[in-house]
Amino acid sequence: MANTIITIGRQFGSGGHEIGKLAAQKLGIECYDSRLIRLASEKSCIGMEHLEPVDEKRANPWLYTVPSDYSNEMTGFGLPMNDMLFNVQSQVIRQLADKESCIIVGRCADSVLESYPNVTSVFIRANLPERIKRIMERQNISAKEAETLIKKMDKDRSLYYNFFSDKKWGRAESYDLVLNSTSLGRERCVDLICSLMKQL
């Protein structure tokens, strides 16, 4: 029997990461998010200091090229670091899906696992004022700084997703389910994801 996977895309400041983590805890399964960078680092033998700056960012051939010392058939020869990280993270995501039921946040996991059975893609959004408030509190910055950061992060995620998948980031038609954490609340989003997971 195939493992059951929920993938979560999210707007910056929507609480998508926390929702995924809480749902995984409630279901007794793993939630993979930024840990995927560490797993990719271990698999590729490329240091985290090279990978973290390009996580969930569109490739730029002029920046962050794979260091020649690390170039091989798996990491690629002369690839932008973004491409290499996407390729290795995709391998890690497929291995996780083959091994266990889990929740995977970001990293185009819905597109990577498109051909897999029992995979449901969820996108978490929230109203801008709530996102600004959350980021202000989390990072101790002003409302203006929070809004600027939100726009930058959403743009980075959109460019990354649109570049590495054949779908459009944040659009309802790109996902099986879109949840608004402002109107539903975090706990209800968690409950809906858990209920969905149990029915797959």
Side-chain angles (χ1 to χ4, degrees), residues 21-93:
K21 218 171 168 185
L22 288 168
Q25 287 172 5
K26 200 167 181 179
L27 291 162
I29 60 175
E30 291 293 326
C31 177
Y32 294 96
D33 43 30
S34 56
R35 281 197 292 163
L36 288 167
I37 311 171
R38 179 176 54 76
L39 293 172
S41 174
E42 292 169 2
K43 188 174 181 67
S44 64
C45 297
I46 295 179
M48 293 281 286
E49 69 276 10
H50 295 297
L51 301 182
E52 285 180 323
V54 299
D55 184 43
E56 291 197 289
K57 291 184 175 65
R58 182 180 63 168
N60 183 334
W62 307 111
L63 295 173
Y64 306 118
T65 302
V66 176
S68 57
D69 291 349
Y70 297 122
S71 292
N72 55 50
E73 288 185 10
M74 183 181 68
T75 61
F77 296 92
L79 280 179
M81 186 66 78
N82 313 62
D83 281 25
M84 185 284 302
L85 178 57
F86 176 77
N87 292 341
V88 177
Q89 277 189 338
S90 295
Q91 291 177 43
V92 170
I93 287 167

